[in-house]
Structure formats: structure tokens, C-alpha cells
Amino acid sequence: MAVNGSGRTQSSPPPEGIYVPVATFFAAEGSSNYNKTSPPLDLETQTRHSLFLVEGGIKGLVILGSTGEAIFLKPRERNELISSQRKALDDAGYKDRPIIAGTATQNIDETLEMIKESKEAGAEYAMVLSPGYFASSTSQTGIQKWFEAVADEAVLPVLIYHYPGVTNNLYIAPSTFEKLAAHPNIVGTKLSHGIIDDQTLIAASPRIDHEKFYVFTGLGQNLLPVLAIGGVAAIDGLAGVFPRLVVRLFNMFNETLSKGLTKKDISEMRDLQFSICEGEKLVARWGVVGVKEACARVWGMGSRTGGRLPLAGGFEDGEAEWSKWSKTFDELKNIEEKFKKEGKEG
């Protein structure tokens, strides 16, 4: 790391690759330690899922993001979750797979405390959700100063988490990203929206040093176009169910950059993107509830009803709802298993 002109050491972005915003697994209804108000963590399933992901080529884990139901966890549980998965990855020989810890608070001091505790628990990066409580009254200058205040004191490199869907539609303009990208401790962003022109204005901006600031799409359904405009990869929910599918598209795109692009390559990448888009419809409709439902039904991993209120219980009409998705997910499972047999990822 180099020393920036501000005097602060220039932080490095996380390694390029596909990351997963992992679901947090809780004890299922009917289990011996189940509590309907606050079911305990199911760390056994959590570890099984983490290893399933990295064995499928996932570069690292985002723990305690929106998919991780971070707002429902107590500080002790946050630290236990991070430390258990850091140990599980290290013990399995995956010390090179970073953990990015999410924060979702409005208060700067509380955000900094979470980042500090996350580092102590084993995280290497912090993904900081924008403060959206007063979204209608917040200026772009206010957003900039809030993130700069966090990044100035944060003990981990910061990625900006821009997700209007959970922040009262708070908008961060591309011009604001250009200013924030110059901060030596802000190393990238996860853009969880489909505004492709804004994504282009950030990922392709000549006023951003893209060696120091990485743009990740939060939507796997946008992966191929975002790679084409200068984004580095995705932090994607569907990859939590079918890691090899999403990793394969990422790898194919980067392989074509070195060997040269052919019409066959374009056709294969379009087919993969199409398959990903079909699966992402479930994630877009049901979020973490859909991810957990799919993990349980496709791989027997976790419980379809293992959440915390108000998300506990899974689909309201489970079998009828899953019947709308089962054909698509059976096809995606076949593709995933085919890629596993080929052994190119992992």
C-alpha cells in the first residue's frame, strides 16, 4: 500500500472476483433450541454453506449484508458469525478468501464501532450502507461528508453500499462517487440498483482511478453489461445458490480479454447471462427469503422457515409459490452440476 497525499495509507480493493452476500442461517422451527422470537444462529449450516461457495470458485464472503439480515443480529452474534466463518475458511485452506463485513447503521460512531469489532472478529473489509433515514432531506454534500467521516477513522478499507431499495430511495450521484473514490480508505462500491447509465458513469469514469476503486454490481442479472462498462465483478445473491454458474460467466469474460473475443464466446456468455437472469427473478421478488428457500430445496441446506421475524416462515404459500420457480431452478441445478464435473472452478 502506498501513502496518499492526505497522509493516510492508500488502501487496496478486495481481489477481483464473484462475492456472495451470504444468508445468515438460524435454527429451524421444531429444533431443540428454537425460539420463535429470536432463533439462535445455525453455525453448522453456515459453515457448510460457506465452504460450498468457496469450493465453487467464490472469491470471498460478504457477511451481514442485507441478505444476511444484519439488522436482526445482536453485536455478540455479529462477532460470532464473522469469527466462526473466518476460522472455517482458514481451517479448510481458504485463508486467501476475504470476508467483507456489512454495516447498516445511521450513526457514524456506531458504524465505526461495528467496523472495529468486525476487524477483531476476522473481517478484512467493511461494506457500509448509506444512511437513508432522512433520505428526502439529505444532500449530496451530506452523503459525501458522512462517508468521508467514516472512512477517515475506519480500521478497515470501506466499500460504499448503495442500495436505494432499503435506504428510502436515497440517491448517490455519480459525481459524488467520483469525489468519494479519491479517499484513500474508500476502495469500491456495491451498486444494488439497475440504473445502468449511472453504473456506466461510475465504472467508466475517467475521473476515477479504477486501480484503487472497484465497482461491483449487486445484481447478477447485470453482470455481463457491467463487466463490459468497466465494473470488476458482482456481489450477487443467486451465486449463493449456484456459485459456479455466476463464476463461469465472470471467468469467461476475463478469458476473452486475453485471448480475443469470438462470436462463439459472445453467444455462450449471453446464454449464461440469460440463465442467471431467470434465476435472479426469484431473488428480486423474495430477497433473502427466496435465497434460503432455494438453498433448502435445491441443496438441502438450511431450513425454508429458518428466519427471524418478520421474515420467519418462508413463502406464505410454500408449495404453490415454489411451483412457479421449480422448473427454472431444476435447470440451473443441472448447469451447476455440469460445471462441477468439469472442475474449472473452485
Side-chain angles (χ1 to χ4, degrees):
M1 295 189 292
V3 176
N4 184 274
S6 66
R8 171 143 191 170
T9 300
Q10 177 68 52
S11 300
S12 299
E16 293 184 31
I18 300 298
Y19 291 73
V20 169
V22 295
T24 297
F25 293 93
F26 301 104
E29 290 183 47
S31 59
S32 60
N33 59 345
Y34 182 73
N35 177 311
K36 68 178 181 179
T37 303
S38 188
L41 298 174
D42 179 359
L43 295 179
E44 182 178 348
T45 299
Q46 196 78 45
T47 294
R48 181 185 169 200
H49 185 243
S50 294
L51 296 180
F52 165 77
L53 296 177
V54 295
E55 288 164 4
I58 295 302
K59 182 59 68 174
L61 307 180
V62 175
I63 295 178
L64 299 165
S66 302
T67 307
E69 301 176 62
I71 58 172
F72 298 154
L73 270 66
K74 297 184 282 290
R76 174 185 58 78
E77 293 173 319
R78 288 177 53 90
N79 299 337
E80 184 180 10
L81 190 62
I82 295 170
S83 61
S84 67
Q85 298 316 292
R86 181 69 272 162
K87 183 178 186 305
L89 294 179
D90 291 351
D91 289 350
Y94 293 103
K95 292 183 179 181
D96 62 333
R97 308 300 170 98
I99 287 177
I100 303 173
T103 73
T105 68
Q106 310 291 307
N107 182 288
I108 291 173
D109 288 338
E110 188 177 0
T111 300
L112 291 170
E113 183 64 23
M114 281 189 177
I115 294 173
K116 177 176 178 290
E117 291 177 354
S118 296
K119 180 179 181 179
E120 291 170 353
E124 288 86 2
Y125 296 89
M127 189 177 78
V128 179
L129 185 69
S130 53
Y133 189 88
F134 292 108
S136 62
S137 306
T138 301
S139 68
Q140 293 300 303
T141 299
I143 294 169
Q144 178 188 341
K145 289 183 176 180
W146 191 92
F147 273 107
E148 287 175 343
V150 171
D152 282 345
E153 302 297 329
V155 295
L156 290 175
V158 170
L159 288 88
I160 298 167
Y161 185 17
H162 185 24
Y163 187 5
V166 297
T167 56
N168 279 330
N169 290 314
L170 181 73
Y171 177 69
I172 307 179
S175 58
T176 302
F177 273 104
E178 289 179 352
K179 295 168 184 172
L180 289 171
H183 193 287
N185 200 38
I186 296 177
V187 296
T189 182
K190 177 187 178 186
L191 300 176
S192 291
H193 62 69
I195 311 172
I196 198 67
D197 53 335
D198 274 17
Q199 293 183 20
T200 303
L201 289 170
I202 300 166
S205 172
R207 291 177 288 277
I208 290 176
D209 184 344
H210 297 288
E211 296 296 317
K212 299 174 182 175
F213 184 87
Y214 284 179
V215 174
F216 294 86
T217 177
L219 306 173
Q221 55 267 52
N222 285 354
L223 177 56
L224 184 55
V226 167
L227 288 172
I229 60 173
V232 300
I235 299 172
D236 175 54
L238 186 70
V241 186
F242 302 112
R244 287 177 173 83
L245 176 64
V246 184
V247 169
R248 179 64 64 94
L249 178 56
F250 170 80
N251 286 347
M252 280 193 66
F253 179 87
N254 284 284
E255 287 165 4
T256 63
L257 295 181
S258 57
K259 73 179 181 61
L261 183 66
T262 67
K263 288 185 177 180
K264 182 173 180 292
D265 293 327
I266 294 174
S267 178
E268 289 180 1
M269 287 191 288
R270 284 175 177 168
D271 287 346
L272 280 173
Q273 185 67 84
F274 180 85
S275 295
I276 290 168
C277 285
E278 286 193 307
E280 295 283 3
K281 289 293 186 181
L282 175 73
V283 181
R285 169 63 183 87
W286 285 101
V288 61
V289 172
V291 170
K292 286 186 174 180
E293 189 89 22
C295 282
R297 288 184 180 270
V298 176
W299 305 114
M301 201 176 305
S303 166
R304 295 186 286 112
T305 59
R308 284 186 173 171
L309 293 170
L311 300 184
F315 290 160
E316 193 165 4
D317 188 355
E319 297 306 321
E321 181 63 26
W322 182 251
S323 69
K324 302 174 185 178
W325 309 97
S326 58
K327 184 175 184 293
T328 293
F329 275 71
D330 285 344
E331 292 171 352
L332 295 179
K333 182 180 181 181
N334 289 336
I335 297 172
E336 184 78 9
E337 290 179 329
K338 173 177 175 287
F339 288 166
K340 183 177 181 179
K341 288 180 180 177
E342 293 176 359
K344 289 186 177 180
E345 282 77 49

